[in-house]
Amino acid sequence: MVDAAAPAPKANMGDPVPRYDARAKVTGSALYASDVALPDVAYAFLLSSAIAKGRIKSFDLREARALPGVLDILTHENIGEAIRKVKFFTEGGPASNSILPLGSAEIAYGGQTIAVVLANTYEVARDAAHRVKVDYEVDRPTATFESPGAVDQELATQNKKHDDPKVGDFAAAYATAPVKIDVAYSTPAQHHNPIELFATQCGWNGSQLTVHEPSQNVYGLKNGLATQLGIEPSQVRVVSPFIGGAFGSKGALTQRTALVAIAARKLGRPVKLVPTREQGFTVATYRAETKHRIKLGATRDGKLQALSHDGFEVTSRPDPYAVAGTDASTRMYACPNITSNVTIVRADRSTPGFMRAPAETPYFFALESAMDELAVALAMDPVELRRLNDTMKEPIKSLPYTSRTLMPCFDQASEAFGWSKRNPQPGSMRDGDWLIGWGCATSAYPTQMAPATARVSLFPDGTARVEAASHEIGNGIYTVAGQTAAERLGVPVGKVQVLMGDTDLPPAPVSGGSISTASVCSAVAQACDAIRAKLGDNGTGAVPTVDLVATLKERGLGSVQEYAEWMPHGAAKGGMQMLYKGAAQPIGGAKLPDRIQFAFGAQFVEVRVHARTREIRVPRIVGAFASGRIMNTRTAHSQYMGGMIWGIGSALHEKTEIDANAARYVNTNLADYLVPVNADVVDVQVIMVPEEDTLVNPLGIKGIGEIGIVGTSAAIANAIYHATGQRLRDLPLRIDSLVEAA
Amino acid sequence: MRPFLYDRAASTESAPRAFDGLKEASLIQGRAPAEYLAGGTTLLDLMKLDVMQPARVVDITPLEPQHGSIAISDAGLRLGALVKMSTAADHPAVIKTYPVLAQSLTLAASAQLRNMATLGGNLLQRTRCNYFRDTSWSACNKRNPGSGCAALDGLNRQHAILGASQDCIATYPGDFAQALMALDATLDIAGPSGSRTIPIATLHKPPGSTPHIETTLAPGELITALSIPAGPWTRRSLYLKIRDRQSYEFALASAAIALHLDGDTVKDVRIALGGVASVPWRARDAEASLIGKPLNEATATAAARMAFVGSAPRTHNAYKVTLGQKTVVRALLQAATLEG
């Protein structure tokens, strides 16, 4: 029987080995942060600000404190500046924002933590939190774009590392282009909403602190927290063996961890915090809303002559967070004249942060919608428009792509989808009361890596052990790291133990930017190769040329252990030291001086729009992706498919609604913040296109965790245009605007 | 959640006594001295959120033997108030003879919720207005009378365009009540001062200037049964629910239709609207406009227009005027194709 979830490997692909942690997760023996039972634990409940701007005049804590079981209440009045400042994430620090936890009476955003109630039970802590009375002095807050008080700033003036990509003379080329479009798009605020909430448990043993918290960066959490608490990093251990969904939300140090650590120290007993789903909307970060203006100019036969992409992104007052997707969107197609600009817009909001394909998700919705609009203006097939402008060199600096398999992705997906049967006329394909539309778009994601380490041990009983403090966020890193060691040491994969998610292990970089597999497996392979060399194997191939276990026994050794420090191409000189501090920066994509490295894909979507009531459904989606070496076709299939389903949600469902007057989030629960349910996900087909890239890293691995979401929303918008003749340029694509015009 | 006293009801007659002795307490809904607990799918949520703070909770699930059965006869259908949503939705006779009822239940909530929630409780489920469900919003007349309505100038994509007031624009969130409205169901009610039977249409109160008073039930009154009279319109009936995703979402707009055709001529028709109104909404003028006429695009469109006369959209819900009308047209034309 063919198992669609475990496709047969093609060229340069590894076996669909079942997940290393599958049995533990299915049987419930995998312990997540909030599952860990600490003795005599006390419970914390957060109180969140009901206003977005202003200050706390006073608290009335009497009723809350009087409740039996309440132990203490932390506020700015008793914390103040007890927690030391750490740098904001994009300034090289570990913090998700630069506001001191309970640092002062000032309120900078709605939902800001303003008190922590500590009690003997969760129920009492929560009840007491409801009884805290807060007297606020309220200032009028700025909610979003164009709200009174919004401040626009060019990103380049706020972030010295940002440089707007430009080449040629856009204005002149656009003015004379025979075919052109000038269009604006927008994308909404979105929240990751991982099923596992933002739990934290802290316990002290003397001066040693152990933190149980789901994290995409345990070394960053350890070092950042030590700085905040004024203790040595060696006094902090972070344990995070399993993460129940993260998508970027668990990468940075949030305000909660230091508060729970201080509470535990104060009470002299462990403290457990599980914020509610509603609080998750402001405890962690989010994808900020964006706006775009794109101008494209082309010759009559479809050659791009001019491209301009202006992006606008909301951020908080204190932190200049931006995703600046123009780095990628200006480099996708051959074009001699390009200009771009990114503007950040400051509002009274929490600081945004990374969310799956942070830059590409919004910026490719704009770019790939615009490409479709240009194809319509040219009366040209949208696939052929991309083929005509395909390039093996990025246009800004003429740097070569290490590999680029875009058009084979389009061709294979198009074939599987049946694109040749498409009638290009909008509204021409109909099934009874349902209008059918077909659309497509390009997917792309930068291939990045960061310094990584691993310790690998081989034992005479034929077992091996891999140790690296990477993070199992559903990406299958346990499995592929184990596979790498099994292959290179010549032992069965079932004989490899893999330990991760613990700062007692060798450091691994943040699990973000789709870097984990390429970075960690490279370090594992390097350690394995050192073991091979020690045991007399001088081969350089993937599999050893001598029986390593037999040699080990022959020599009478108890074990052979090697520790590897692996550095990617282009990494800064101090990168390895930064890794040990939890601050190694991913490098790659369009940020290299000598080359550009990306993974590519193509997505084809069928939508059905009801002719009368206009609800939108996606019965069918086909994605083809080429991302270098595929380590495991099962886990890769899951990543691609998960990304595409995210794309459906991002296109049609997900939107964090913001109250324009209060500058607060409104739909902060999973009944009102919509994500696709099973009934919305019908037929999802993933095609893995073989690709060999010998440059990106010795194993030839590109990241695949995020590319699946890129372009999906544009493909869906393009399909809706084909179904209805209506062009929707604002996400989510909703019935509201379709039904009015129908 | 605040501590509360928990009682298990011993009998239908004694259950209301839990409300005795607490009459001096505030009768504002949401601060009631006592609440009945059946499936708990609304009550427990709102207690955890601190929106409802009953001093006492009376668990009526022990009364399931008396009020948990389904009886079908030539006269109609009788549903015990403690029948689970899923039980009624899966009942073959309900599916066959009263499809609008079965569909309104199947299209509501999730399988897990339908397995817990009871029919009586379903009728009384409270609005999904986010400003009501989150106590950190200070302005909500329904939760805190006189405090204002944050939804009027706030986020109101989900809110009502029919039957709302200057004090509250919350939408009645349910589906099943619309089906019952279309079929002229009656409710048996037990209470401290005896039993009575009322038409479903008189259960819910439009918000007016007292949005905190949502129903005509007196303190301690308990819905015990739902009766749906038989009629030539029940088989040609359906529930159409329009929403952003395919399942597990409240209606943006919905229509319950029951139709009696004589040849091509409309003999009787019932139209009830959901997702667009503050209470389960019967479009009686629209119904009257169709009697004696053929049901076609033109007559259905005219009726749909009539159903939304007087609608009052706000900033984000104007689309519901168009969507609601199209939903009615689609539902009417679809009903006409059903077998009678």
Side-chain angles (χ1 to χ4, degrees), chain A residues 17-22 24-25 30-33 196 213-218 239-247 250 468-483 498-502 505 508-512 516-517 520 632 635-636 638-639:
Chain A
V17 172
R19 283 177 189 268
Y20 179 82
D21 47 344
K25 282 182 174 167
L31 290 189
Y32 292 81
E196 183 198 26
E213 180 176 306
S215 172
Q216 294 171 263
N217 187 12
V218 288
V239 183
S240 177
F242 302 104
I243 297 103
F247 317 112
K250 293 166 181 170
S470 191
H471 319 87
E472 179 52 70
I473 51 174
N475 50 356
I477 190 68
Y478 277 118
T479 314
V480 297
Q483 267 180 287
V498 186
L499 300 176
M500 289 188 170
D502 188 330
L505 301 170
V510 59
S511 291
S516 284
T517 298
V520 174
N632 177 324
T635 55
S638 168
Q639 295 239 69

Side-chain angles (χ1 to χ4, degrees), chain A residues 38 85 321 374 603 667:
Chain A
L38 300 178
K85 199 169 170 69
Y321 181 85
L374 180 64
Q603 301 201 36
N667 56 333

Side-chain angles (χ1 to χ4, degrees), chain B residues 89-110:
Chain B
D90 296 342
H91 194 285
V94 177
I95 293 171
K96 186 166 170 232
T97 314
Y98 300 89
V100 65
L101 291 180
Q103 290 166 18
S104 72
L105 290 165
T106 302
L107 292 171
S110 65

Side-chain angles (χ1 to χ4, degrees), chain B:
Chain B
M1 146 183 336
R2 308 204 172 210
F4 56 89
L5 293 170
Y6 172 82
D7 291 333
R8 285 173 69 80
S11 71
T12 309
E13 294 68 37
S14 66
R17 277 186 221 135
F19 293 72
D20 290 351
L22 293 160
K23 286 201 172 116
E24 71 283 1
S26 165
L27 293 183
I28 295 166
Q29 269 172 321
R31 308 270 170 85
E35 293 287 349
Y36 288 122
L37 170 72
T41 54
T42 287
L43 181 66
L44 290 185
D45 272 9
L46 292 176
M47 285 173 70
K48 285 185 199 169
L49 295 169
D50 209 36
V51 172
M52 295 179 77
Q53 306 163 347
R56 189 181 286 261
V57 167
V58 184
D59 184 349
I60 54 170
T61 54
L63 309 180
E64 205 258 340
Q66 298 95 290
H67 307 300
S69 57
I70 298 176
I72 196 153
S73 70
D74 291 347
L77 174 67
R78 189 174 165 80
L79 302 165
L82 285 170
V83 169
K84 303 283 191 199
M85 287 172 74
S86 53
T87 308
D90 296 342
H91 194 285
V94 177
I95 293 171
K96 186 166 170 232
T97 314
Y98 300 89
V100 65
L101 291 180
Q103 290 166 18
S104 72
L105 290 165
T106 302
L107 292 171
S110 65
Q112 294 88 337
L113 288 165
R114 294 194 294 272
N115 285 338
M116 286 298 292
T118 64
L119 299 181
N122 177 281
L123 296 181
L124 300 176
Q125 73 175 306
R126 307 194 68 190
T127 184
R128 293 295 307 187
C129 174
N130 296 109
Y131 300 104
F132 167 72
R133 290 175 58 88
D134 181 343
T135 59
S136 69
W137 294 98
S138 52
C140 175
N141 288 323
K142 189 183 277 298
R143 180 160 41 74
N144 189 9
S147 61
C149 172
L152 281 179
D153 297 312
L155 229 296
N156 47 41
R157 178 177 188 250
Q158 312 268 14
H159 287 72
I161 54 172
L162 291 168
S165 74
Q166 278 307 306
D167 291 310
C168 181
I169 57 170
T171 307
Y172 175 76
D175 298 298
F176 181 52
Q178 277 70 258
L180 293 174
M181 289 283 283
L183 299 180
D184 282 333
T186 59
L187 308 177
D188 289 357
I189 292 163
S193 41
S195 300
R196 59 191 183 113
T197 298
I198 62 165
I200 172 107
T202 63
L203 175 66
H204 295 93
K205 282 175 74 97
S209 59
T210 55
H212 58 289
I213 300 171
E214 292 177 355
T215 72
T216 55
L217 295 177
E221 282 197 319
L222 180 66
I223 300 171
T224 56
L226 300 70
S227 298
I228 298 97
W233 48 78
T234 69
R235 284 175 68 106
R236 193 173 260 145
S237 72
L238 62 83
Y239 189 71
L240 177 65
K241 183 173 181 180
I242 307 297
R243 43 190 165 173
D244 294 308
R245 67 181 173 192
Q246 183 67 18
S247 177
Y248 193 29
E249 191 191 353
F250 296 91
L252 299 172
S254 71
I257 304 289
L259 181 62
H260 179 203
L261 285 180
D262 182 4
D264 289 334
T265 307
V266 175
K267 206 131 186 233
D268 199 348
V269 63
R270 284 93 181 287
I271 305 170
L273 307 177
V276 293
S278 59
V279 290
W281 193 265
R282 185 85 179 257
R284 291 188 191 275
D285 290 347
E287 295 171 4
S289 79
L290 288 167
I291 305 292
K293 292 193 189 138
L295 187 49
N296 55 37
E297 183 84 30
T299 57
T301 303
R305 201 166 295 138
M306 209 167 279
F308 284 84
V309 167
S311 58
R314 311 287 307 184
T315 312
H316 307 111
N317 63 2
Y319 74 98
K320 285 192 177 183
V321 180
T322 313
L323 179 63
Q325 292 180 44
K326 287 175 183 287
T327 303
V328 169
V329 174
R330 179 175 160 190
L332 282 168
L333 296 179
Q334 202 173 315
T337 66
L338 298 174
E339 287 192 20

Side-chain angles (χ1 to χ4, degrees), chain A residues 174-239:
Chain A
Y174 185 73
T176 57
V179 180
K180 50 189 156 190
I181 59 161
D182 178 355
V183 280
Y185 305 92
S186 74
T187 67
Q190 298 178 332
H191 277 77
H192 317 75
N193 274 305
I195 287 301
E196 183 198 26
L197 297 166
F198 297 100
T200 298
Q201 295 200 76
C202 287
W204 292 84
N205 184 358
S207 63
Q208 291 296 124
L209 171 65
T210 301
V211 180
H212 300 270
E213 180 176 306
S215 172
Q216 294 171 263
N217 187 12
V218 288
Y219 267 74
L221 188 57
K222 168 194 173 96
N223 284 276
L225 184 60
T227 306
Q228 284 182 311
L229 299 176
I231 60 178
E232 291 301 316
S234 60
Q235 290 172 261
V236 180
R237 179 183 175 199
V238 176
V239 183

